[in-house]
Amino acid sequence: MKKFLLPVILSCFISSSVALAEPNPSLKVVYPPTNHQTSAEKIFFIGTAPPNGQVLINGTPITRSQSGHFAPSFPLKLGENIFEIRHQDQVLQIKVNRISTQPEIPQGLAFAQGSLTPVADIARLPGELICFSAVAPPNASVSVKLASQTVALLPQPQQAQLPSNLAALTGQNQPTTQSSVGKYEGCTTFPAPASDSFTQIVGNNIISGTVVPDSRQNIDLGQPEFQLRLNGKTITQPGTGKITILSPAQLPVAEVTVEAGVARTGASTDHSRLTPLPQGTRATVTGKEGEWLRLDYGAWINSKETRILPGAIPPRSIIRSVGYRRLPGATEMVFPLQTRVPVSVQQGNNSFTLTLYNTTAQTDIIRLDDDPLISRLDWQQVAPGQIQYTFNLKKNQQWGYKLRYNGTTLVLVLRHPPVIKQNKQKPLSGIKILLDPGHGGKEFGAVGATGYLEKDVNLVVSKLLRDELVKKGATVVMTRETDQDVSLPERQAIINREEPAIALSIHYNALPDAGDAENTKGVGMFWYHTQAHSIAIFMQNYLVEKLGRPSYGVFWNNLALTRPAAAPSVLLELGFMSNPNEFEWVSNPQEQKKLAKTLADGITEWFRSVK
């Protein structure tokens, strides 16, 4: 995948195929490019031709929009697929190669290439499961030898194969039955080293006792050796990952070195994000997998975002007093700690919960005055070393927060509602709104049937929306005003620095190969933090009702431009570039102006609704 926002990760599959050859070609296919490779079972063709006459793909007439645009889907067989697209006397040929996502089962005495796991070096605590897998011919006998143990790998029953996260965007997110023929798996554990008994004769005396192993040393078990036996023949093959059992008495301590360390539920970027860890956070490392570290409170973090502190003991803190400061436009809560511990945040309808890990309460006093935002602060030690602080809020809508460490003191800033000046002619007076025109520069985003790029329509509509909002009195900040490259971290940094009342990222949509581009259409909203849910739902309903557009849906989605916590942040997908009929109004200048005005009216109505 390319480094775009997820719904437009969808669209990014399309961006590489833009063909702008002739000024007015009679037949144009902008997606897929020739020699395209995919694992999808079908592919759609986005393009256009003059409305007169038929367009045929492999001899089959296809449906087109009034202007001649098309996006039909065709099934793919494994291997090379050749498609001939014809309009009158013009012919294009496109090759699409469908690859299999399943490892090929060997026919002879061999393991499938790349099938031996673990692939990377791993480290575990004593007594934790260590699992191995391989793909080999059916009816084989497969085992793994590691240190003093031999582990049998057994044939596995059929399993359900989960679709990718993108499947939720196409409505095709049901598990499918996956054949497990040739899949062998097995697990084992390694306890801490046991004491060895000894008997020794010293002079005329017999002395017995035990030798206690050094519990401060890790145990390097080396690489597993896989063995395959079939039809009386045997082969062995070493695994690629080394395995280490960590010493519980000498676990390393990691410190987060980046501004916001990305904590995840597992050891890869495929796993879900958790609350980012502020710079300087320290935690004990209880496991490793490749370049990923498992921290003592359960999250995983990439080792590139940390450093190991030699000789450091497991970080633990007590907490006594909790401070309170009223700032202009925000409430600041101060948590003095002995070290920078991991934290997590959970927002509710009218609550905000902060959890501190590796922390024990000695708290008797908390100051909290009558506050415009908070009605009460409750706390409890929910588990040894885990404290929850729950802020009961006076209103459901939350307006953003920031977490940082000053020394070893954790500072939580909760933003107050924006103050709207009383001005009937300019109902958004006093409101700062950030608009983020998606993509730009060499990041094209999606592409429409004519080659019209998403990055361009995003900027056009964002500027039109900016003008409408300014008319209503708002102060508008743009992440870009020209066709320029602005990275996702740069866009996030602008939101955090500007602290707008709301942040809206403007996009248009497309689909992955398996999607139905010809029939999928409508506006959609994407949110991540609870504080952004209200405006996402409101704007979705408002646009569908006022413009009569189809509803694609409202999605919780972990995107770069929905993750900023400093303000309610929503990513808007305002239509499908890939749908031939919807593209006609997406690319229509009059419809763009109408959309911008409706968006501005909807934003105004939402602010009125959350007073």
Side-chain angles (χ1 to χ4, degrees):
M1 289 186 180
K2 300 182 182 179
K3 53 179 182 181
F4 297 102
L5 307 174
L6 184 57
V8 196
I9 283 180
L10 308 174
S11 34
C12 296
F13 290 102
I14 295 177
S15 63
S16 62
S17 62
V18 179
L20 301 174
E22 333 173 17
N24 293 296
S26 57
L27 172 64
K28 177 188 287 186
V29 175
V30 298
Y31 187 82
T34 191
N35 298 320
H36 178 62
Q37 186 168 285
T38 181
S39 60
E41 295 181 352
K42 62 180 181 178
I43 191 76
F44 52 75
F45 292 81
I46 298 179
T48 192
N52 59 304
Q54 288 186 326
V55 171
L56 296 92
I57 298 184
N58 285 354
T60 301
I62 61 172
T63 302
R64 298 197 285 153
S65 72
Q66 186 175 355
S67 298
H69 311 324
F70 54 83
S73 293
F74 286 85
L76 296 174
K77 67 179 190 298
L78 285 172
E80 185 177 77
N81 297 259
I82 298 177
F83 295 91
E84 181 185 271
I85 302 95
R86 178 183 296 273
H87 178 257
Q88 296 179 347
D89 59 351
Q90 190 173 5
V91 179
L92 301 175
Q93 189 179 83
I94 293 177
K95 295 180 182 179
V96 179
N97 185 38
R98 181 186 165 196
I99 57 174
S100 173
T101 58
Q102 302 300 319
E104 186 175 345
I105 299 175
Q107 298 302 310
L109 188 67
F111 290 107
Q113 185 175 1
S115 70
L116 305 184
T117 68
V119 176
D121 294 350
I122 66 171
R124 294 289 187 265
L125 293 171
E128 286 192 293
L129 275 180
I130 300 172
C131 295
F132 309 90
S133 68
V135 174
N139 304 316
S141 175
V142 182
S143 63
V144 166
K145 185 176 181 181
L146 180 64
S148 60
Q149 289 195 31
T150 298
V151 183
L153 305 191
L154 302 178
Q156 296 301 298
Q158 281 195 338
Q159 296 177 331
Q161 181 179 16
L162 295 179
S164 74
N165 277 308
L166 293 177
L169 301 169
T170 61
Q172 301 169 351
N173 62 331
Q174 294 301 310
T176 57
T177 301
Q178 176 182 343
S179 171
S180 59
V181 174
K183 184 71 177 287
Y184 296 82
E185 292 183 334
C187 300
T188 189
T189 62
F190 282 84
S195 301
D196 293 327
S197 61
F198 70 90
T199 302
Q200 184 177 7
I201 300 176
V202 180
N204 294 323
N205 300 315
I206 299 176
I207 300 174
S208 299
T210 58
V211 176
V212 179
D214 188 349
S215 62
R216 295 172 299 174
Q217 297 298 317
N218 296 334
I219 304 172
D220 184 2
L221 300 177
Q223 289 177 304
E225 186 175 81
F226 290 77
Q227 185 179 80
L228 169 61
R229 294 191 299 275
L230 182 66
N231 299 328
K233 297 181 179 180
T234 302
I235 63 166
T236 60
Q237 183 174 326
T240 56
K242 295 180 181 179
I243 298 174
T244 302
I245 302 300
L246 297 172
S247 164
Q250 198 73 8
L251 295 175
V253 172
E255 180 180 80
V256 177
T257 56
V258 295
E259 184 176 350
V262 180
R264 295 186 179 272
T265 58
S268 76
T269 54
D270 290 334
H271 286 82
S272 301
R273 286 179 180 246
L274 302 170
T275 301
L277 297 176
Q279 190 172 37
T281 298
R282 294 182 179 183
T284 305
V285 177
T286 62
K288 298 180 183 179
E289 196 163 317
E291 62 183 10
W292 292 84
L293 306 178
R294 184 180 63 192
L295 304 181
D296 50 22
Y297 77 108
W300 292 76
I301 189 170
N302 195 296
S303 59
K304 294 177 182 178
E305 298 187 344
T306 69
R307 66 184 180 111
I308 300 297
L309 303 177
I313 63 171
R316 297 290 183 269
S317 181
I318 60 172
I319 185 167
R320 292 176 180 151
S321 62
V322 175
Y324 164 83
R325 286 198 290 258
R326 178 90 63 82
L327 304 176
T331 294
E332 191 173 84
M333 301 300 300
V334 180
F335 302 84
L337 299 163
Q338 295 170 300
T339 188
R340 300 186 179 192
V341 300
V343 298
S344 66
V345 164
Q346 183 176 8
Q347 291 179 306
N349 276 343
N350 58 350
S351 65
F352 183 100
T353 301
L354 173 68
T355 302
L356 307 183
Y357 299 92
N358 301 332
T359 305
T360 302
Q362 291 184 358
T363 301
D364 285 330
I365 299 176
I366 295 177
R367 176 184 173 181
L368 180 60
D369 299 346
D370 185 18
D371 185 78
L373 188 70
I374 305 166
S375 63
R376 190 178 70 251
L377 171 59
D378 300 325
W379 73 268
Q380 58 179 326
Q381 187 93 38
V382 295
Q386 185 174 333
I387 303 177
Q388 281 188 350
Y389 292 90
T390 300
F391 295 85
N392 300 280
L393 306 177
K394 293 182 175 179
K395 293 185 178 181
N396 286 345
Q397 181 60 45
Q398 299 178 44
W399 296 93
Y401 70 91
K402 290 185 176 182
L403 266 177
R404 71 178 189 276
Y405 273 109
N406 286 344
T408 60
T409 296
L410 181 67
V411 179
L412 168 65
V413 179
L414 297 173
R415 296 183 61 197
H416 294 171
V419 177
I420 303 177
K421 299 176 183 177
Q422 298 300 318
N423 189 325
K424 290 184 178 180
Q425 282 71 39
K426 296 191 173 184
L428 296 179
S429 293
I431 298 295
K432 181 192 286 189
I433 296 172
L434 182 137
L435 298 180
D436 170 54
H439 306 290
K442 60 180 177 292
E443 304 289 0
F444 294 164
V447 61
T450 63
Y452 190 22
L453 300 177
E454 183 203 346
K455 67 170 184 174
D456 296 327
V457 66
N458 290 343
L459 186 58
V460 169
V461 172
S462 294
K463 286 183 173 181
L464 291 170
L465 175 55
R466 174 198 60 191
D467 295 344
E468 293 293 335
L469 293 171
V470 169
K471 290 178 187 177
K472 294 177 179 293
T475 300
V476 179
V477 177
M478 303 269 287
T479 58
R480 69 179 180 98
E481 297 195 46
T482 60
D483 182 19
Q484 66 186 92
D485 291 303
V486 185
S487 71
L488 299 180
E490 287 173 327
R491 295 169 196 256
Q492 293 173 320
I494 295 171
I495 295 174
N496 290 330
R497 181 182 70 243
E498 293 289 339
E499 296 184 354
I502 57 172
L504 305 178
S505 190
I506 305 300
H507 286 260
Y508 285 82
N509 222 333
L511 289 169
D513 288 341
D516 183 357
E518 194 170 39
N519 295 303
T520 305
K521 55 190 174 182
V523 297
M525 301 289 152
F526 294 79
W527 63 278
Y528 181 65
H529 296 290
T530 302
Q531 62 197 19
H533 180 255
S534 168
I535 187 170
I537 289 288
F538 186 95
M539 292 303 296
Q540 178 75 6
N541 293 339
Y542 194 87
L543 291 181
V544 168
E545 178 185 349
K546 298 297 182 181
L547 293 176
R549 299 299 178 199
S551 174
Y552 176 56
V554 178
F555 299 83
W556 178 89
N557 209 331
N558 179 8
L559 305 171
L561 269 300
T562 59
R563 284 197 298 270
S569 302
V570 177
L571 187 143
L572 294 75
E573 294 283 0
L574 297 173
F576 275 81
M577 303 286 285
S578 53
N579 181 282
N581 292 296
E582 193 156 78
F583 177 68
E584 298 207 3
W585 70 260
V586 165
S587 56
N588 184 308
Q590 295 305 314
E591 291 293 338
Q592 292 169 349
K593 291 177 183 178
K594 181 179 177 182
L595 171 62
K597 185 177 186 311
T598 305
L599 282 167
D601 291 342
I603 292 166
T604 304
E605 289 301 316
W606 179 77
F607 274 104
R608 286 179 180 148
S609 72
V610 295
K611 282 185 179 179

